[in-house]
Amino acid sequence: MASAALYRISAIIVKELWAVLRDPKARIALFTPSLIQLLVFGFAMTLEVDNFNVGVLDRDGGVWSHEIVSRIAGSPNTGRVVQLRSPGEMRDAINNQDVIAALVFDDRFSADVAAGRTGEVQMILDGRRSNAAQIVSNYLQQIVAGVANDVRPSPAIKAPTTRTVPTYWFNPTLEYRWFVMPALVVTVGALMALAVTAQSVARERELGSFDQLMVSPLRVHEILIGKMAAPLLVGLVNATVYIILIPLVFGVPLTGSLVSLYLSLIVYLLSLIGVGMLVSSLAQTQQQAFLGSFLVIVPAILLSGFATPIDNMPGWLQTATLINPLRHFLVVTEGVFLKDMPASQVFANSWPVALIAMVTLSASAFLFRARME
Amino acid sequence: MSKAFDHRRLRALFVKESLQIVRDPSTLLIAFVLPLILLFLFGYGVSLDTTRTRIGLALQDSGEPALSLANAYQRSPWFEVETARSLAELKAGLVAGKLRGIVVIPADFSRRVASGSGADVQVIADGSLPNTANFVSAYAEGVRASWAEGRGLERGRTVAPTIASAPRFWFNPGLESRFALIPGSITIVMTMIGTLLTALVVAREWERGTLEALMATPIGMAEFLLTKIVPYFVLGLGSMALCTLLAIVLFDVPFRGSVLALLAIGSAFLIPALGQGLLISAITKNQFVASQVALLTAFLPAMLLSGFLFEIASMPWVIQLVTYVVPARYLVPPLTTVFVVGDLWPLFLRNILALLGFGLFFLALAFRATRRRIA
C-alpha cells in the first residue's frame, strides 16, 4: 500500500516538474527575473540622498555667501549648484524639479555677519519629495553651521563633559545594501513561489485537466504534494543562487548557519505554496489566480518590515502582520546573514511560519475536496 | 476586406470586452479593491515616521549622574527601555530583534562626569536595520544632550548664532510622507491595470486560441488593438478617479491642480502602459510568462525605479539610465505636482510628451508583433 502511494506521488512529482520546466520561455521566466532583480533592485534601493542640485539666489555677493556656496559646491553629496537671478527663476527651478533646494541670501547678509549681527539665510526645499528634502535640509544646515562656526569660533567651548559614541553592530557602516539583499531572498522568493503555484493549479483548472487528475487513482493530498514539488524546486534554486551570489559578488556577510537558513527556507516556501493553493482553490481561471495572488503579495511585502519598519506601524497593524510569513522569514534572513543568529532564534521565528503553512495547506486541501463532492 | 473602422463591429467588440471585464471579479478586484488596500496601507499603516523604539539600557554605574541619565532615557517618549546591569544580558535581545539598540552607561561614568574629564555613553544600534539604527543613535544623542543641558553641564556653550537658517518646505510644510506615497500608489495601481491586466487578458486569448477566431472575422488590426485598449483605458481612469477621491477625502492629501490636468496626465500614462501590456502578451502568448514579464518590466520598476520611494539621482548611473525607459518615472513627478503644487503645465507637458512617445513606440511594436503572429 505504502509503496503504491510512493509510486503515485513520485509519478505526479515527475509530471509536475515536467509541466513547469518543459516550456523554454517558462524556464527563462522562472530563473532569470530573480537575477535581474538582484542586480537592479539591490543597487537601486538606496537610502542615501546625494547628487542633488541646489539653487542659489545670491543678492549679497559678499564673502560669506560665497563661502557657503563654495562649500556646498565642494561637498561630495551635491550635484550641481545652479545660480538663480530672481525669485521667479527660483520658483521655476523648484517647480520643475531642477533643484531640490534653494538658498536665498539678502543684500545685507555678509555685512550683517561681519558686523556681528545674525545673518539670515533662507532655505527653501521641495516638499513633494518629503524624505529627500528633509535629508538635504540637514546636509545644508550642517554646512551653514560649519561656516557660522568659522565666522566666530566660540571662544570658550570646552570639550563636552559627556557625549554618546555610536557603534553599529552587524553592519558597521550602515550599508543599506546589506539590509536589502537578504530581504530580496524573502520578497523575490515569495513572488516566484506564489506565481508558480498559482500557475500550476489554476492552469489545470482552466484547461479542465484538473478534473482528470481528480478522477485518477491519486488522492487529493497526493495531488497537492505533487503540486508542491515545482514551486519548492524553483524557490530553492532561486534562493540558492541568491545565497551564493550575495556574499561572493556583493560582499554582504553570511555569518549564520546555512542548515538553519535552509530549514527555515523550506518551511517558508511551504507556507507560500499554501497561500498560493488557497488563492488557486478560490480562482476559476489563471487570470484570477495571478491577480488574486497579487492582491495578497503586495500588502504582504508592504507589511513585511522590508518597506518600512514594523515598529513604525500602529499597534493593531503590528498584530495583523503576525499572520504574514514574509515578516517572520525576513527576521530569519537578516539574522542569518548579518547577525549570526543562533538556531534557537531561527526556530522561534520559523514555527509561526510552519503554523501558517499547515493552516493554508490543509485549508486548500479541504477546499479542493469540497469542490470534488 | 471591409473598411478599417466599422462602427457597428467596433461597438459589438467594445461591449464584449466590457462584459468580460465586468463579469470577471478578479479584474474589478485589481481595479477597485487593490487601490483601496494600497491607499489604506500607505495612508495609515506604512509610515516612515518612527514612534517608540525598544532599546536596552546597560547601567553599569550606580552614581547619581548615571542614575539621572538612565532616568532620562526611561522617561523619553522615543524609547521603551529595558534596563539591565550588564551588557551580556541585552546582547541576545539585539540578535533576536527584540531590541533595536543598547545604551551603555559605563562604570566610570559618574566619576568622569564629576571630574569633568569627558564621560562617554556608548550607543550600540542594530545595523541590520539601517533606518532604525540611524534613528536610535540620533535620538539617544538627543536624550543625552538635553539631559546635559538640563544639568547645566554645558553652560556657556550657547552663543547667539552668527548665521541662522530655517528650512521652509514648500508644498508640504509638515513633511507628510503621505503626500508622496499616495500619488506613488496611484502609479502602481495604474501600472497594474495598464500593463499586467492587459498582458494577462490578451495572453489568455492567445493561449486559448480565441484570438485566432477573432482574427478570422473581418476585424482589422487597428480595430482589434483599439477594442483591447479602450475598455482598459476607461477602467484605468476610473480607478484613478477612485484613488484621487479617496486620497482627498480620507487621507487629506491636497488637490491643488485641475481635474483636466489630472485627466491629461493619467491618459498619457495609460497609453504606454497599455502598449507595453499588449506587446508583452503578443510576444509571450502565455499567461504565466506574460505575468512574470509584466511583473519584472512594469510593476517592480514602477515601484522601485520611478523615484517615489528611492531617489533616482542617488542610484548608480547604469540604473539611472534604466529609469529613463520606465514610463512610471514620467508619471510620478506630474502626478505628485497636480496633487500638492497645482497646475504646472511646462512640467506636465514635458512628461506627457515623453509618455506619448513611449506610448507610440510600444503600440507600434505591439502592432507589428501581433500582425506577424497572425500572418
Side-chain angles (χ1 to χ4, degrees):
Chain A
M1 235 2 241
S3 72
L6 270 182
Y7 174 74
R8 287 197 302 264
I9 290 176
S10 62
I12 186 158
I13 287 177
V14 168
K15 174 234 162 225
E16 288 299 333
L17 292 180
W18 192 239
V20 171
L21 297 173
R22 186 199 43 213
D23 180 3
K25 272 188 201 158
R27 278 204 300 269
I28 294 172
L30 286 174
F31 300 110
T32 38
S34 55
L35 269 182
I36 299 175
Q37 286 178 53
L38 182 67
L39 282 175
V40 174
F41 304 129
F43 284 103
M45 290 185 210
T46 165
L47 277 189
E48 275 117 62
V49 176
D50 46 27
N51 197 18
F52 53 85
N53 300 336
V54 179
V56 173
L57 177 55
D58 189 356
R59 287 178 169 142
D60 176 46
V63 56
W64 292 113
S65 63
H66 269 294
E67 179 61 26
I68 292 178
V69 172
S70 67
R71 282 202 204 175
I72 289 172
S75 151
N77 294 318
T78 335
R80 278 181 309 122
V81 170
V82 181
Q83 294 293 338
L84 305 165
R85 282 182 301 267
S86 68
E89 260 187 34
M90 179 184 81
R91 206 182 45 239
D92 288 347
I94 289 197
N95 282 348
N96 288 325
Q97 304 198 322
D98 298 331
V99 299
I100 189 167
L103 295 182
V104 183
F105 300 95
D106 61 32
D107 53 5
R108 290 170 300 128
F109 178 73
S110 289
D112 276 345
V113 173
R117 292 186 294 269
T118 301
E120 295 269 355
V121 191
Q122 267 191 65
M123 193 180 286
I124 288 153
L125 293 119
D126 183 353
R128 268 172 291 184
R129 294 185 275 170
S130 58
N131 205 30
Q134 197 166 15
I135 293 168
V136 169
S137 120
N138 289 341
Y139 279 141
L140 295 178
Q141 280 184 295
Q142 266 174 30
I143 290 174
V144 170
V147 174
N149 199 46
D150 286 0
V151 174
R152 187 182 59 210
S154 322
I157 290 189
K158 325 172 272 189
T161 53
T162 60
R163 57 174 190 166
T164 53
V165 185
T167 39
Y168 301 106
W169 279 5
F170 319 126
N171 181 1
T173 51
L174 290 188
E175 294 273 348
Y176 198 56
R177 196 168 304 145
W178 287 23
F179 166 71
V180 167
M181 293 204 155
L184 284 176
V185 178
V186 179
T187 53
V188 175
L191 286 171
M192 295 306 300
L194 270 188
V196 177
T197 314
Q199 120 111 358
S200 79
V201 177
R203 190 182 152 84
E204 295 215 46
R205 296 272 296 263
E206 187 174 307
L207 298 175
S209 55
F210 202 78
D211 292 341
Q212 292 172 15
L213 271 187
M214 287 301 218
V215 297
S216 70
L218 290 156
R219 312 273 172 77
V220 172
H221 68 268
E222 289 166 357
I223 297 176
L224 292 186
I225 291 173
K227 290 284 171 201
M228 289 179 202
L232 198 60
L233 180 82
V234 171
L236 281 173
V237 169
N238 276 318
T240 302
V241 171
Y242 272 32
I243 291 169
I244 292 170
L245 288 184
I246 290 173
L248 287 187
V249 178
F250 301 99
V252 180
L254 176 53
T255 57
S257 136
L258 279 178
V259 177
S260 41
L261 181 59
Y262 268 95
L263 287 178
S264 185
L265 174 67
I266 290 172
V267 175
Y268 173 63
L269 289 172
L270 288 177
S271 76
L272 294 168
I273 294 167
V275 174
M277 296 239 188
L278 208 53
V279 172
S280 310
S281 70
L282 297 171
Q284 303 292 332
T285 60
Q286 278 191 84
Q287 187 188 325
Q288 288 179 2
F290 285 133
L291 296 178
S293 42
F294 242 77
L295 204 62
V296 173
I297 197 74
V298 173
I301 289 177
L302 286 175
L303 295 177
S304 66
F306 175 45
T308 58
I310 300 219
D311 296 352
N312 294 7
M313 296 169 193
W316 57 269
L317 200 58
Q318 289 194 29
T319 313
T321 62
L322 292 176
I323 58 163
N324 181 1
L326 279 70
R327 176 228 160 112
H328 301 286
F329 190 57
L330 184 67
V331 177
V332 172
T333 54
E334 298 290 348
V336 172
F337 267 92
L338 303 178
K339 295 178 170 181
D340 190 11
M341 187 177 258
S344 62
Q345 278 304 321
V346 173
F347 176 75
N349 286 289
S350 300
W351 71 258
V353 184
L355 205 63
I356 297 167
M358 278 189 311
V359 170
T360 49
L361 286 172
S362 21
S364 50
F366 174 80
L367 282 175
F368 280 124
R369 239 181 235 122
R371 238 168 232 283
M372 278 303 289
E373 276 135 31
Chain B
M1 192 76 195
S2 59
K3 58 186 169 172
F5 289 99
D6 181 292
H7 188 67
R8 251 190 75 220
R9 201 161 64 206
L10 215 52
R11 214 177 56 189
L13 281 165
F14 282 148
V15 170
K16 169 216 167 237
E17 290 295 332
S18 310
L19 277 180
Q20 217 172 333
I21 290 177
V22 176
R23 283 188 185 156
D24 189 336
S26 68
T27 322
L28 297 177
L29 223 54
I30 286 297
F32 298 109
V33 178
L34 182 73
L36 283 176
I37 296 177
L38 274 180
L39 286 185
F40 182 75
L41 287 180
F42 277 126
Y44 286 126
V46 176
S47 149
L48 300 167
D49 323 315
T50 311
T51 48
R52 273 170 88 89
T53 305
R54 279 179 318 257
I55 59 165
L57 176 69
L59 184 57
Q60 298 168 340
D61 185 13
S62 50
E64 188 277 328
L67 293 180
S68 149
L69 178 60
N71 189 32
Y73 278 108
Q74 281 153 354
R75 277 190 334 230
S76 158
W78 307 109
F79 296 124
E80 209 175 295
V81 179
E82 182 188 326
T83 310
R85 280 283 153 192
S86 77
L87 181 56
E89 293 171 46
L90 299 170
K91 273 185 181 168
L94 202 61
V95 173
K98 297 206 164 40
L99 301 174
R100 300 298 181 208
I102 303 172
V103 172
V104 185
I105 301 180
D108 59 354
F109 182 79
S110 299
R111 190 174 53 75
R112 296 185 72 121
V113 169
S115 69
S117 56
D120 287 352
V121 176
Q122 201 192 354
V123 175
I124 299 165
D126 178 354
S128 72
L129 302 169
N131 259 332
T132 313
N134 268 323
F135 172 87
V136 167
S137 68
Y139 279 78
E141 163 60 18
V143 170
R144 188 222 43 93
S146 64
W147 170 81
E149 204 183 289
R151 286 174 71 90
L153 283 178
E154 279 156 30
R155 242 192 312 263
R157 291 198 64 224
T158 45
V159 279
T162 52
I163 302 177
S165 65
R168 279 198 295 155
F169 297 94
W170 276 7
F171 320 128
N172 182 3
L175 281 183
E176 311 271 359
S177 51
R178 230 173 41 240
F179 285 18
L181 292 177
I182 285 186
S185 51
I186 296 180
T187 304
I188 293 181
V189 169
M190 289 178 69
T191 306
M192 297 213 34
I193 294 172
T195 308
L196 183 76
L197 203 56
T198 346
L200 274 176
V201 169
V202 183
R204 172 169 157 176
E205 297 220 26
W206 283 107
E207 211 174 83
R208 292 184 146 188
T210 51
L211 206 67
E212 261 131 61
L214 203 60
M215 288 300 184
T217 67
I219 184 178
M221 261 309 295
E223 275 178 311
F224 165 71
L225 287 178
L226 208 60
T227 58
K228 289 291 170 194
I229 290 171
V230 173
Y232 290 95
F233 186 85
V234 173
L235 191 69
L237 286 184
S239 176
M240 182 180 81
L242 173 77
C243 290
T244 307
L245 215 62
L246 288 173
I248 300 168
V249 175
L250 275 183
F251 301 103
D252 291 328
V253 179
F255 187 77
R256 303 201 172 107
S258 63
V259 175
L260 177 74
L262 179 69
L263 208 62
I265 297 162
S267 311
F269 175 72
L270 281 169
I271 294 171
L274 290 162
Q276 197 180 348
L278 288 174
L279 178 63
I280 291 171
S281 62
I283 293 176
T284 62
K285 296 207 278 186
N286 170 309
Q287 288 185 74
F288 173 67
V289 182
S291 78
Q292 291 301 301
V293 174
L295 194 72
L296 187 70
T297 61
F299 173 75
L300 288 170
M303 193 142 158
L304 302 171
L305 300 180
S306 65
F308 98 95
L309 283 178
F310 303 101
E311 281 296 301
I312 292 176
S314 314
M315 298 172 187
W317 66 271
V318 184
I319 308 229
Q320 287 193 39
L321 284 184
V322 176
T323 66
Y324 282 102
V325 295
V326 174
R329 186 215 155 113
Y330 305 93
L331 174 63
V332 170
L335 199 58
T336 319
T337 303
V338 82
F339 271 97
V340 304
V341 182
D343 282 359
L344 289 177
W345 283 102
L347 176 89
F348 294 169
L349 288 178
R350 205 174 51 199
N351 287 294
I352 286 176
L353 273 180
L355 288 171
L356 291 179
F358 276 108
L360 283 181
F361 177 70
F362 281 135
L363 282 179
L365 284 183
F367 191 87
R368 273 193 50 165
T370 314
R371 194 177 46 189
R372 211 175 43 226
R373 305 293 160 138
I374 291 299

